[in-house]
Amino acid sequence: MTDPLFTRIRTSFDASPMLATLGARLTEVAEGRVEIRAPILPGSRQQQGFGHAGLSFTIGDTAAGYAALTRAPAGHEVVTVEIKINLLAPAMGDELVATGHLVRAGRSLSVVTAEVVAMTGDRAKTVALLQGTMMPVPL
């Protein structure tokens, strides 16, 4: 049997060409929590060779948004109303892992956070923190 919550998030995730371009993978889904992993590919590096902040932002925003979607009403998606990022360290490693959390689900707005860590083998280093607001929208 397939988990309906995972199927809901997976269906939306698979519809995003940008996530496919970045090589991002949906790796965990639970109510109020979503994890996304993306390799630090040559095309997603900045001029000094680190993972580009845009990669951290994209997968952090997406993980946070999908965390909100786990509690959104049926027949709705979510969109980002606003989100901020604090870059804490260069994104050096093999891949980035973004874990999004739903802090509070409201009727019209949800507050979310995400942490992005860079993985080198089994070593993890936090490279970014995000906090934002998501809004459910009818499909």
Side-chain angles (χ1 to χ4, degrees), residues 40-54 90-92:
I40 303 175
L41 299 170
S44 55
R45 295 179 186 271
Q46 47 86 286
Q47 69 278 12
Q48 296 162 330
F50 308 131
H52 197 284
M92 297 184 290

Side-chain angles (χ1 to χ4, degrees), residues 5-43:
L5 186 59
F6 185 85
T7 300
R8 179 182 191 188
I9 305 304
R10 166 65 71 196
T11 299
S12 180
F13 185 92
D14 288 347
S16 174
M18 182 167 182
L19 295 173
T21 297
L22 295 173
R25 303 176 322 279
L26 180 65
T27 51
E28 289 183 31
V29 174
E31 189 168 324
R33 182 181 185 280
V34 169
E35 181 186 274
I36 296 172
R37 293 175 175 255
I40 303 175
L41 299 170

Side-chain angles (χ1 to χ4, degrees), residues 25-85:
R25 303 176 322 279
L26 180 65
T27 51
E28 289 183 31
V29 174
E31 189 168 324
R33 182 181 185 280
V34 169
E35 181 186 274
I36 296 172
R37 293 175 175 255
I40 303 175
L41 299 170
S44 55
R45 295 179 186 271
Q46 47 86 286
Q47 69 278 12
Q48 296 162 330
F50 308 131
H52 197 284
L55 176 60
S56 294
F57 187 87
T58 298
I59 67 169
D61 173 58
T62 303
Y66 283 136
L69 186 59
T70 67
R71 294 275 306 276
H76 286 71
E77 278 275 351
V78 297
V79 295
T80 303
V81 174
E82 61 82 29
I83 196 159
K84 76 173 293 290
I85 187 169

